[in-house]
Amino acid sequence: MDTKEDVRVGANKFSERQPLGTAAQSDKDYKEPPPAPLFEPGELKSWSFYRAGIAEFIATFLFLYITILTVMGFKNSTNKCATVGIQGIAWAFGGMIFALVYCTAGISGGHINPAVTFGLFLARKLSLTRALFYMIMQCLGAICGAGVVKGFEGKARYQMNNGGANMVNKGYTKGDALGAEIVGTFVLVYTVFSATDAKRNARDSHVPLLAPLPIGFAVFLVHLATIPITGTSINPARSLGAAIIFNRDDAWDDHWIFWVGPFVGAALAAVYHQIVIRAIPFKTRA
């Protein structure tokens, strides 16, 4: 065998088993599913629909219970060095999202956040019927979770610590807070899209198993960055639950920021992933 033949055989003997770069974007192993219908009345007759809503309620209830109690513990201590600190609060939020997404992903998709539900709805991953039901159940779960925390803490101590409600902190403007919520939610929802991308799941079997980890880690990192600005919401249900139970003017003055910011951030993430990353509107359907 001559040298040229050696090179030819050697170059093809150990070919790449997994396509890299643009080659990985081949559609041979995956077919884009049709978008979810805008209205799907048949869902209302399905037990799985209500089971998913209950799962969202319980998950958001547990999320508020653990995270707001962590915030209360931090604020109640006279020695901040002896508490979990801001890093611990961020871990509480990120860790609970990791655990709860893992537990509920197979039932409801593990949204636990109206902004995530909104972003996925814009991408036509679920119907408007289901999206609205999820948001209602998430908000109810958040209210109940914050209410249980108030019961544990007692009214006086709960009020003294602002009930864990989101507010614009001193030294920052409303514009700063709105921008922080938009960017923070963009990070979260973009991570959700990337971690749950069905096309990636079709190629890489490990992706769905790891999905809760990057989502929880994104929540952790965003909290580290923006707790000093707004206490970090990136979740309208979390802000609504704490505001309703705290129910002081301070919690309501800037409450709109914690709805507008997350919804705008979620919409931008949906547009970026669906149009720029996946280019779905430009693909022809069979």
Side-chain angles (χ1 to χ4, degrees):
M1 185 179 292
D2 60 20
T3 303
K4 289 184 179 180
E5 183 68 3
D6 289 340
V7 173
R8 187 186 68 79
V9 172
N12 293 290
K13 187 176 181 181
F14 301 104
S15 60
E16 292 287 347
R17 296 181 182 275
Q18 172 65 45
L20 302 175
T22 55
Q25 302 305 313
S26 170
D27 289 326
K28 293 180 180 179
D29 59 342
Y30 175 74
K31 186 173 182 178
E32 201 72 48
L38 187 60
F39 296 102
E40 199 167 4
E43 287 185 316
L44 300 177
K45 301 177 182 179
S46 169
W47 164 241
S48 64
F49 175 79
Y50 295 101
R51 181 183 64 179
I54 294 170
E56 287 293 310
F57 171 88
I58 294 297
T60 315
F61 167 83
L62 295 174
F63 179 62
L64 266 289
Y65 169 74
I66 293 295
T67 55
I68 300 301
L69 267 182
T70 304
V71 172
M72 292 289 102
F74 170 73
K75 291 188 174 182
N76 283 337
S77 177
T78 55
N79 181 6
K80 302 304 181 187
C81 295
T83 67
V84 295
I86 288 179
Q87 294 88 346
I89 293 174
W91 273 122
F93 279 89
M96 278 304 289
I97 288 296
F98 168 70
L100 293 170
V101 170
Y102 175 82
C103 291
T104 60
I107 303 171
S108 65
H111 298 190
I112 322 168
N113 184 337
V116 171
T117 300
F118 180 65
L120 294 173
F121 164 70
L122 292 181
R124 302 295 299 276
K125 304 293 185 183
L126 71 165
S127 67
L128 179 61
T129 313
R130 186 173 290 262
L132 291 175
F133 184 49
Y134 277 16
M135 291 181 189
I136 292 170
M137 297 301 281
Q138 289 157 358
C139 290
L140 290 175
I143 294 167
C144 292
V148 171
V149 172
K150 182 177 180 179
F152 282 177
E153 292 293 310
K155 184 176 180 180
R157 188 163 51 190
Y158 187 84
Q159 298 285 2
M160 182 178 66
N161 292 314
N162 297 329
N166 290 116
M167 303 175 188
V168 180
N169 291 325
K170 292 181 180 178
Y172 295 96
T173 66
K174 289 180 171 60
D176 296 332
L178 182 62
E181 289 296 315
I182 290 173
V183 176
T185 311
F186 179 92
V187 172
L188 169 60
V189 178
Y190 177 43
T191 303
V192 170
F193 273 107
S194 298
T196 60
D197 191 332
K199 185 173 182 180
R200 291 185 65 199
N201 295 352
R203 291 196 310 266
D204 307 321
S205 61
H206 64 278
V207 170
L209 298 177
L210 295 177
L213 182 59
I215 295 170
F217 204 64
V219 171
F220 164 68
L221 293 174
V222 171
H223 275 76
L224 281 184
T226 60
I227 281 176
I229 303 174
T230 61
T232 308
S233 172
I234 63 172
N235 184 336
R238 174 261 187 270
S239 296
L240 180 67
I244 285 179
I245 300 302
F246 180 53
N247 198 27
R248 294 284 184 89
D249 290 343
D250 293 349
W252 294 115
D253 288 343
D254 302 314
H255 186 70
W256 63 272
I257 291 173
F258 307 113
W259 284 86
V260 174
F263 273 61
V264 171
L268 292 174
V271 169
Y272 177 66
H273 185 267
Q274 296 296 96
I275 295 179
V276 178
I277 301 300
R278 293 293 308 281
I280 288 177
F282 309 109
K283 294 179 180 178
T284 57
R285 297 186 183 275

